Amino acid sequence: MSTEPALTDLSAAVLARGGELRAGGTDTTARQRSGVSPGPFTDLGGAGHLRGTTPLPGGGLRIGALTTLATLATDPQVRAGWPALAASAGAAATPQIRAAGTLGGNLLQRNRCWYYRNPHLSCLQKGGTGCPAREGDHHFGVVAGDGPCVTPHPSTLAMALLTYDAEAEINGESPRPVADLYGNGDHLFHSDHLLPPDRILTAVRLPAPLPGERAAYHRATSRAHAEWPLVEATARLTLDGTTITHAAVAAGGVARVPLRLPEVETALTGREATPATLAAAAAKVLPRCRPLPQTGYKATLFRDTVLEALERAVG
């Protein structure tokens, strides 16, 4: 029997009483503790059908939204077919967070701006009219894009899923590209995604891997462990000999949304996988950069992080 009506009823009930759905609770609990999100919360933990992986016809994979990051990082199917997703999940946060945090929660979490997280300050993310980070301390802020909010999107898994052309399953709707959860970032004023509050992300669908593809993930952080990335990148490449025949590259920590980088992909496809080719392709991100007064360092870090991911993917 379908579970769609139950999920729809659940989300509608939460919306009606002004509440919020909670998955692993790693983000909602922190926001509740700080006073930013008072609740009430409705836990999805009992929805066992939203956990685990299921093979799809044609070699793809369906991953339930309540599947933990720890499971994604260690699942043999994910590691073999979608290694950049496994690597990004395994690099996130701490072992404790990975054991509780979920795929859906990671995709739909809120940003880590300290102005947003302060219950005594008003900002666009909380329905206000201004962005105190723009005039204040924003050294972890965006380096690409011109939106009114200057806080980068926090989802590592969303960035990785962009390179796999993954789709999001949402109750009551047909699957849509994961990128559609975020748009171009221009309208992310009051949230960090575009999913309506009366909808539930139930799963992500991954297409079959390409024959012989290789992938890599790299993050630049200010310390080795338990740190949010300053910039991160995922590269997915297919080579015919030494010629790159397919490229999918994305970056995080640099804009209001996870970014797919078509200019880098175009500079790679059909060319020999030489150090010069990789360096020239990574440099294509620089015209995107519009640094804030305190984020100028991120422009070269953006380029170098993409280059590192490309070099690791080539091997």
Side-chain angles (χ1 to χ4, degrees):
M1 183 173 63
S2 172
T3 59
E4 292 297 305
L7 289 174
T8 302
D9 292 345
L10 175 62
S11 57
V14 172
L15 179 65
R17 64 193 180 102
E20 186 176 350
L21 293 168
R22 178 165 53 195
T26 59
D27 178 30
T28 51
T29 300
R31 286 189 277 115
Q32 183 181 34
R33 188 185 306 117
S34 70
V36 174
S37 298
F41 297 99
T42 298
D43 288 308
L44 291 170
H49 58 283
L50 299 185
R51 290 192 179 87
T53 59
T54 306
L56 295 173
L61 190 69
R62 181 183 186 273
I63 307 174
L66 289 185
T67 304
T68 66
L69 274 63
T71 298
L72 289 176
T74 58
D75 186 283
Q77 295 179 92
V78 179
R79 289 170 64 91
W82 301 271
L85 178 60
S88 61
T94 65
Q96 294 87 348
I97 294 295
R98 293 194 293 272
T102 65
L103 169 63
N106 188 272
L107 298 183
L108 303 179
Q109 65 185 300
R110 300 306 308 268
N111 67 78
R112 264 40 189 196
C113 176
W114 39 57
Y115 295 98
Y116 162 69
R117 298 268 168 171
N118 187 324
H120 305 295
L121 297 177
S122 173
C123 75
L124 288 165
Q125 288 285 311
K126 293 184 285 188
T129 58
C131 176
R134 182 177 291 276
E135 302 300 325
D137 188 342
H138 55 254
H139 65 273
F140 292 145
V142 301
V143 71
D146 296 317
C149 178
V150 301
T151 299
H153 198 276
S155 178
T156 292
L157 297 191
M159 176 204 63
L161 291 170
L162 292 183
T163 64
Y164 287 110
D165 298 309
E167 291 185 324
E169 287 187 12
I170 298 164
N171 68 305
E173 300 182 10
S174 299
R176 64 169 83 169
V178 166
D180 286 359
L181 294 174
Y182 312 109
N184 61 12
D186 290 346
H187 302 291
L188 294 186
F189 299 164
H190 307 311
S191 184
D192 292 278
H193 58 81
L194 300 175
L195 188 69
D198 62 342
R199 291 289 183 265
I200 299 175
L201 175 68
T202 58
V204 165
R205 301 170 69 94
L206 290 161
L210 297 173
E213 72 171 72
R214 55 186 75 183
Y217 166 77
H218 181 62
R219 59 169 43 196
T221 61
S222 58
R223 62 184 181 184
H225 301 290
E227 183 64 286
W228 292 94
L230 301 171
V231 181
E232 55 187 342
T234 301
R236 179 184 173 216
L237 305 175
T238 301
L239 276 69
D240 181 2
T242 60
T243 301
I244 300 170
T245 57
H246 174 82
V249 186
V254 294
R256 277 296 292 140
V257 295
L259 289 179
R260 183 80 179 257
L261 304 173
E263 68 274 28
V264 176
E265 299 167 359
T266 299
L268 292 167
T269 306
R271 292 175 170 82
E272 295 293 307
T274 64
T277 295
L278 303 184
K284 295 292 184 181
V285 305
L286 293 176
R288 281 183 178 262
C289 296
R290 298 174 178 83
L292 300 166
Q294 297 172 10
T295 63
Y297 73 95
K298 276 198 174 186
T300 53
L301 190 60
F302 185 5
R303 178 200 63 197
D304 294 346
T305 303
V306 170
L307 177 58
E308 179 69 23
L310 293 174
E311 291 174 341
R312 293 187 181 193
V314 169

